[in-house]
Amino acid sequence: MNVFYGAMIFGIIAGIVAVIYSISITIWALKHEEGSERMKQIAKAIQEGATAFLNRQYRTVAIVGIIIFALILIGGIWIPQFGILTASGFLLGAILSALAGYLGMFNAVRANVRTAQIAHKGLKPALQFAFKGGSVTGLMVLGLGVLGISLFSLITYSITGTIGGVVNSLIGFAFGCSLISVFARLGGGIYTKAADVGADLVGKVEAGIPEDDPRNPAVIADQVGDNVGDCAGMAADVFETFAVTIIASMLLAFSIFQNYGSHELMKAILYPLLLGGIAVFTSIIGVFFVSAPTKEKIMQGLYKGLFATGIISAIFYYFFTVNFMKGVGQYSPLDYFYSAIVGLVLTALIIVITDYFTSTSFSPVKTIAKASTTGHATNIIAGLAVGQISTALPVIAIVFAILLSYHFAGFYGVAIAASSMLSMAGMVIAVDSFGPITDNAGGIAEMSELPGDVRETTDALDAVGNTTKAVTKGYAIGSAALAAIVLFSEYARLIEKGAVHFSFSISQPGVLVGLFLGAMLPYLFASLAMKAVGKAAGDIVVEVRRQFKEIPGIMEGTGKPEYGKCVDIVTKSSLRQMILPAFIPIAAPIVFGLTLGPQVLGGLLLGTIISGLFVAISMTSGGAAWDNAKKLIEKGLYGGKGSEAHKAAVTGDTVGDPSKDTAGPAINPMIKVVNIFTILIIPIVLILWH
């Protein structure tokens, strides 16, 4: 068992290194100047709004978490897989997922104003500062994931004395991560898009004032939304995806390698976690590769860091795998290494594909911009078309990744590919968090009336940040699909092991029924999320119109808008609206699975994975393409700001906003909640249907 303790110590050290890196960069960042008093006031308002929202959100989710914790704890009386360890894992996973989101937000709302101030010095220093600020979130997500799983596994093993006890308890840890993630994604997504849509509809469309204009009462709520949605929500989301993927791979290894020696079994279980530990160090190295000499090469500068991390990771993985995995199972160490490479290559492919469909440099976005010249309807048609066609290449890439990794090492190879893909989470989240930091920096520059050259720098960074956020969503959705396939494979193994008379075949009515029901869930979930944004945005529109009408001097700049009222309204509305859709992935397995049986439940899992993947990609890529088409026109194309084409593009962007930042991204954790919750309740399914 020396290999187990050695792996846990390495994981704990890697996690601590990531946390120390994040803290040291945060301290370094806080030493930089915040700028003028006006900039400080705006930044403080954003900080207070973001903190208030997350505090309220986590208090709401804590009530749900306490109830589930109690049910898992009490369930241990009748079901051995439940009890204190699984309940403790659930609690720890939920706390760490919430912490990942909170720390990501804490850093972003302090890096934004400093980025705006550093923009006085030019593009290069502003880019490097904003990216290092984002890297705090990325490394914290990766580090907390490795640290949490390693520490909990070590404690659980010391109590149970068996690796089986560790694996069973980790299911609770994964479910805790997933539960927080789906609430964080939904709540933050509803908030950010309700504020954004509300601000745009009254400010841009009705009042004709620019984006981030201080006269708009919803402008602070909009800035807060960037952080609670794209930073805190994404951090919790990818933390959950990373943790669930690693745990799913460990579960699958436990099932596949049970008939091999204990030493081989242990190595197979630990290998995915150790890949994540290695990635902490390669991600820190990759941060220092990011640089861009000109505005046109900002994206290439960020990609330089991403691809450097991937290449360095591949080198480290090779030397580690050929030594650690020697003699494990029926495959050679190179087969396991090739599976890991498949995951890294898939990451690169999804990033490049998503960039193509969402960047202003390529034809999909240019097509939407051109369609805007003939009206609002043609803009919407073009945006929908881009969103739908954007699903093809990512799905083909995922299909080839599954086939290749399965060819190399069976379903365990698919699990390795998924784990390897998620090992890039640190750098990918760093690139994502760069987006809300630069977006806020631009808003602060506009509201503080900083010189034109400063705003020009922040606009260049913000334009790239919009694409980086889209790329990260594509990465998160693609990795979630692989993770969900691994989870389904484990579900099928556990059911067939516990009830040998059950099997999964497309010719069985139960499986077909489950496929239809599962395929329905992402559409139902997305619909409720979109309606929630519409309701919350409507509340903001009413409030902004009231202030424009009742507060004298707003449009002249002599009256001060009541920013706090908009922040409070959208906070209350988004928290209220997130509850119903968040319960769908928990209610569905109970309603359909426990009542209709394991075959229906298995079909439901597959249907959710497949339709969820398509819905999520089409919504996120299509929405981002709409947004960047608007930005392309704002640069002067087809008449620029205020033109008829621009008005049509604003409509498309407004339609795409809840798709790309609320419903689409939230489908990612929703898929995994369905899967991991189903694995958690398998003992109950077997009792009812054995």
Side-chain angles (χ1 to χ4, degrees):
M1 294 300 139
N2 287 337
V3 65
F4 177 81
Y5 289 111
M8 293 305 102
I9 290 169
F10 174 76
I12 291 168
I13 290 172
I16 291 172
V17 167
V19 171
I20 290 173
Y21 168 87
S22 299
I23 292 172
S24 63
I25 292 295
T26 300
I27 293 171
W28 167 81
L30 291 175
K31 291 179 181 178
H32 288 73
E33 288 292 324
E34 295 180 78
S36 66
E37 281 303 313
R38 174 65 177 157
M39 292 170 69
K40 290 176 184 177
Q41 288 172 4
I42 295 166
K44 186 178 180 183
I46 295 170
Q47 291 166 19
E48 289 174 351
T51 303
F53 173 78
L54 282 193
N55 288 343
R56 286 192 194 182
Q57 184 183 51
Y58 287 153
R59 282 199 298 269
T60 304
V61 179
I63 297 169
V64 179
I66 290 168
I67 294 170
I68 294 175
F69 172 83
L71 290 174
I72 296 173
L73 184 64
I74 296 168
I77 299 172
W78 301 280
I79 301 169
Q81 291 91 334
F82 285 20
I84 183 63
L85 288 178
T86 303
S88 299
F90 168 81
L91 187 62
L92 180 61
I95 289 171
L96 289 179
S97 183
L99 185 62
Y102 196 93
L103 292 174
M105 180 277 299
F106 176 90
N107 178 72
V109 296
R110 285 158 180 81
N112 53 13
V113 65
R114 291 168 171 85
T115 300
Q117 178 64 14
I118 291 171
H120 284 90
K121 300 177 182 178
L123 176 72
K124 190 172 181 180
L127 166 67
Q128 291 181 333
F129 180 86
F131 181 77
K132 282 190 177 179
S135 73
V136 170
T137 308
L139 267 296
M140 192 64 81
V141 165
L142 193 58
L144 287 177
V146 174
L147 179 62
I149 295 172
S150 300
L151 194 58
F152 183 69
S153 297
L154 186 61
I155 293 169
T156 306
Y157 186 78
S158 66
I159 294 171
T160 64
T162 65
I163 195 65
V166 173
V167 169
N168 284 331
S169 301
L170 282 172
I171 297 172
F173 185 98
F175 182 50
C177 297
S178 294
L179 185 73
I180 292 295
S181 174
V182 75
F183 276 106
R185 252 307 181 196
L186 269 173
I190 293 168
Y191 185 110
T192 183
K193 288 305 105 180
D196 193 1
V197 170
D200 283 355
L201 284 177
V202 185
K204 282 186 184 178
V205 178
E206 294 182 10
I209 58 177
E211 188 172 1
D212 299 326
D213 192 298
R215 293 172 292 177
N216 192 327
V219 70
I220 295 295
D222 189 9
Q223 298 294 316
V224 170
D226 290 331
N227 294 287
V228 299
D230 285 320
C231 197
M234 177 58 84
D237 180 1
V238 176
F239 173 85
E240 175 262 352
T241 304
F242 173 77
V244 168
T245 302
I246 298 299
I247 291 168
S249 302
M250 295 170 77
L251 284 168
L252 192 66
F254 182 71
S255 295
I256 292 174
F257 290 87
Q258 268 190 337
N259 296 327
Y260 292 86
S262 60
H263 190 68
E264 293 177 60
L265 172 64
M266 190 67 73
K267 284 191 171 185
I269 290 171
L270 296 173
Y271 180 63
L273 176 61
L274 292 173
L275 291 181
I278 292 169
V280 167
F281 300 98
T282 59
S283 297
I284 292 173
I285 296 170
V287 169
F288 296 95
F289 280 84
V290 172
S291 65
T294 65
K295 292 176 184 176
E296 292 73 28
K297 295 187 177 180
I298 297 174
M299 201 73 206
Q300 293 93 316
L302 296 173
Y303 283 165
K304 193 191 301 180
L306 269 171
F307 292 126
T309 302
I311 292 167
I312 295 166
S313 296
I315 295 168
F316 275 72
Y317 290 169
Y318 172 78
F319 289 106
F320 168 68
T321 305
V322 296
N323 289 288
F324 187 78
M325 296 298 283
K326 192 178 294 181
V328 176
Q330 67 190 81
Y331 302 101
S332 72
L334 282 179
D335 289 325
Y336 300 126
F337 170 70
Y338 294 147
S339 297
I341 293 299
V342 168
L344 294 177
V345 172
L346 179 58
T347 299
L349 285 174
I350 286 185
I351 287 172
V352 170
I353 291 167
T354 309
D355 185 40
Y356 171 75
F357 282 104
T358 59
S359 172
T360 55
S361 303
F362 302 106
S363 63
V365 169
K366 291 178 180 178
T367 300
I368 298 174
K370 186 176 182 181
S372 304
T373 61
T374 52
H376 299 253
T378 47
N379 171 282
I380 299 298
I381 292 168
L384 289 172
V386 167
Q388 289 169 0
I389 199 171
S390 69
T391 62
L393 289 178
V395 169
I396 291 170
I398 290 169
V399 166
F400 274 105
I402 292 171
L403 291 174
L404 274 175
S405 54
Y406 184 87
H407 168 75
F408 289 127
F411 262 115
Y412 183 64
V414 179
I416 292 171
S419 300
S420 173
M421 188 177 184
L422 264 300
S423 70
M424 291 289 290
M427 275 299 289
V428 174
I429 287 294
V431 170
D432 175 79
S433 297
F434 169 87
I437 289 172
T438 56
D439 193 346
N440 269 198
I444 291 169
E446 177 75 22
M447 286 184 276
S448 303
E449 299 179 346
L450 295 183
D453 60 328
V454 174
R455 184 68 212 226
E456 194 176 327
T457 296
T458 58
D459 281 350
L461 295 173
D462 180 26
V464 171
N466 195 53
T467 301
T468 65
K469 288 184 285 187
V471 163
T472 308
K473 293 181 182 84
Y475 163 83
I477 293 161
S479 59
L482 275 189
I485 292 294
V486 174
L487 285 167
F488 172 77
S489 174
E490 178 61 13
Y491 169 80
R493 287 175 182 276
L494 290 173
I495 288 292
E496 290 178 4
K497 180 183 175 184
V500 292
H501 59 286
F502 281 112
S503 61
F504 294 97
S505 168
I506 198 70
S507 63
Q508 295 166 328
V511 175
L512 283 172
V513 167
L515 283 170
F516 279 111
L517 291 172
M520 170 194 73
L521 293 181
Y523 286 94
L524 178 62
F525 180 87
S527 171
L528 290 172
M530 296 281 281
K531 284 176 68 178
V533 172
K535 175 66 173 64
D539 294 340
I540 286 292
V541 167
V542 171
E543 174 60 21
V544 174
R545 284 174 177 167
R546 181 195 70 79
Q547 291 196 32
F548 275 138
K549 183 178 179 181
E550 296 180 6
I551 299 176
I554 282 188
M555 290 304 292
E556 293 77 22
T558 56
K560 186 178 180 182
E562 296 173 346
Y563 300 120
K565 284 198 173 181
C566 286
V567 172
D568 189 57
I569 287 170
V570 76
T571 296
K572 289 177 180 176
S573 185
S574 58
L575 292 179
R576 188 168 56 249
Q577 299 292 327
M578 76 178 182
I579 300 296
L580 180 58
F583 275 110
I584 287 178
I586 297 174
I590 295 173
V591 172
F592 299 124
L594 298 186
T595 58
L596 298 177
Q599 289 173 326
V600 172
L601 190 52
L604 181 122
L605 297 185
L606 274 180
T608 303
I609 294 166
I610 294 168
S611 80
L613 177 63
F614 282 92
V615 173
I617 293 174
S618 65
M619 288 185 124
T620 53
S621 293
W626 260 316
D627 192 349
N628 273 343
K630 178 200 70 175
K631 282 184 166 55
L632 194 60
I633 291 172
E634 288 175 345
K635 289 180 180 179
L637 194 68
Y638 303 125
K641 290 184 179 181
S643 65
E644 290 303 312
H646 182 242
K647 291 176 183 177
V650 169
T651 299
D653 177 37
T654 306
V655 173
D657 269 342
S659 293
K660 72 180 174 69
D661 288 327
T662 307
I667 288 172
N668 167 25
M670 176 259 183
I671 291 171
K672 295 192 297 301
V673 170
V674 171
N675 280 267
I676 201 69
F677 182 66
T678 298
I679 288 178
L680 184 68
I681 63 172
I682 277 178
I684 302 173
V685 175
L686 292 175
I687 290 170
L688 292 175
W689 290 88
H690 189 58

